[in-house]
Amino acid sequence: DRATLGVLYGTPKTWRVRLPDACLLPAKASWHNNRGQIHLDRGALDDAKAEFEQVKEFAKEGVVDESSAQTHWRQIALRGLGEVARNRGELDTAEKYHQRSLKIKREVGDRHGQATTLNNLGLVARNRGELDDAEAFHQQSLEIEREVGDRHGQAQSLYNLGAVARNRGELEDAEEYVGQAADMFLAIGAMSGAFSALEEIISISEEQQKTESAREWCERAIAAAKQASDDEASDKFQDRLPGFSE
C-alpha cells in the first residue's frame, strides 16, 4: 500500500531516505530500480535517470557477485534509461539503450524480457512516426508472449497494435486490437490496463460514430470499476455515459 511504499522508497518529503548498509546489494539494486520507476511514473525524469544509473553501476562494478545477477541488473538499468530517454523525446538514445537491453536478453535466452523490450522499441518507432516498424516490433512481442503464455504482455502488445492502427486511421483494426486487449486485461484482473483499454476503445467507437458500441463498452467499464471498488474510475466512465444515450 502507499504507506508501505513511502517507508521503502520515500515520499516527496522523505525522498532522500537511505537503506541500511547491511542490506544485500541485490536488494539495493532492486530498491533503486523501484525508485526509478516511481520517478518515471511521476515524470521526474532527472531523478529517474539517476536511480537507473545507480542500478547500472552495481553491474558495471561487479558489486553483485553472480554474473547472472550482474547481467540481469544491467539490462534492467538499460531498459529504465531507455524509457527515460523516450519520455524526453531523445529517441535515438532510447533506441540504443533498448537495443543493448535486447541483445543481453537474447544472449541469456530471456524470452519474456525480449518481448518487453520489443514492445519498448515499438513505442520508440511509433513516437518517430515509423508505423511499419512499430507494428513489426509489437507483432514480434505478441508472438513471443503467446509462446511463453504471458497474458498481460499479450494484452499490452494488442493495445499497442491498436494504437498503431489508430495512428494510421485504420479504426476497425484498432477497435479489434484494443477490444481484445480490454477483454484480456479484464480476464486477468489487470485493472489499470483494462481501464486504459476501455477508455481507448470508447473513443475509437466514438470516432466511428458507433454510439451503441461506445455505450456498451462504457457500461462494461462502469461495471468493472464497481467490481474493483474503484470509485474514481466508476465516476469517470459514468460521466461519459450520458453522451451515448439513445
Side-chain angles (χ1 to χ4, degrees):
D1 57 21
R2 184 172 295 180
T4 302
L5 288 173
V7 172
L8 288 175
Y9 306 124
T11 65
K13 292 183 179 179
T14 63
W15 204 256
R16 294 187 181 182
V17 64
R18 296 182 62 183
L19 286 176
D21 291 338
C23 280
L24 296 174
L25 290 170
K28 289 184 178 181
S30 178
W31 186 73
H32 282 287
N33 179 62
N34 287 333
R35 281 169 61 101
Q37 292 296 332
I38 292 170
H39 282 309
L40 186 61
D41 289 344
R42 70 190 187 95
L45 300 182
D46 287 344
D47 292 332
K49 182 178 180 180
E51 297 292 348
F52 294 133
E53 288 285 5
Q54 185 63 60
V55 176
K56 188 179 174 185
E57 285 302 308
F58 287 138
K60 180 179 177 181
E61 296 176 4
V63 295
V64 178
D65 293 335
E66 298 182 9
S67 59
S68 59
Q70 287 176 267
T71 299
H72 170 75
W73 289 114
R74 186 180 303 116
Q75 60 88 9
I76 289 288
L78 291 169
R79 181 182 68 189
L81 290 167
E83 283 303 281
V84 169
R86 184 175 70 85
N87 278 272
R88 282 178 166 165
E90 299 168 355
L91 300 182
D92 289 347
T93 300
E95 181 182 22
K96 289 177 183 177
Y97 278 129
H98 287 314
Q99 287 288 4
R100 288 169 62 191
S101 179
L102 181 61
K103 182 175 183 292
I104 292 171
K105 289 167 184 174
R106 283 174 170 162
E107 288 173 350
V108 300
D110 179 0
R111 297 288 282 164
H112 180 274
Q114 290 172 44
T116 299
T117 303
L118 286 165
N119 250 334
N120 288 335
L121 284 165
L123 295 176
V124 172
R126 181 155 63 92
N127 286 359
R128 282 177 168 153
E130 298 170 352
L131 299 183
D132 289 348
D133 288 343
E135 180 182 26
F137 282 126
H138 293 315
Q139 284 286 6
Q140 290 177 64
S141 178
L142 181 60
E143 290 172 9
I144 293 172
E145 286 151 352
R146 284 173 172 163
E147 289 175 12
V148 301
D150 180 358
R151 297 183 72 197
H152 187 279
Q154 290 174 53
Q156 190 61 57
S157 290
L158 288 165
Y159 180 89
N160 289 335
L161 284 165
V164 171
R166 190 178 185 186
N167 286 162
R168 284 174 167 157
E170 299 169 353
L171 297 183
E172 289 188 4
D173 288 343
E175 183 180 15
E176 178 66 22
Y177 282 128
V178 180
Q180 291 181 53
D183 286 338
M184 192 167 291
F185 278 131
L186 287 168
I188 62 178
M191 302 314 296
S192 177
F195 292 143
S196 294
L198 287 163
E199 191 166 7
E200 181 77 358
I201 198 166
I202 290 167
S203 296
I204 292 169
S205 296
E206 284 185 290
E207 284 187 48
Q208 298 178 93
Q209 298 182 335
K210 294 183 176 180
T211 304
E212 179 66 18
S213 177
R215 182 180 62 79
E216 290 175 358
W217 281 110
C218 199
E219 289 175 345
R220 284 190 65 186
I222 292 167
K226 288 181 176 178
Q227 186 173 3
S229 300
D230 190 330
D231 294 336
E232 182 179 352
S234 178
D235 290 344
K236 179 175 68 174
F237 288 112
Q238 286 278 9
D239 289 342
R240 296 194 67 175
L241 189 59
F244 311 126
S245 298
E246 297 180 348

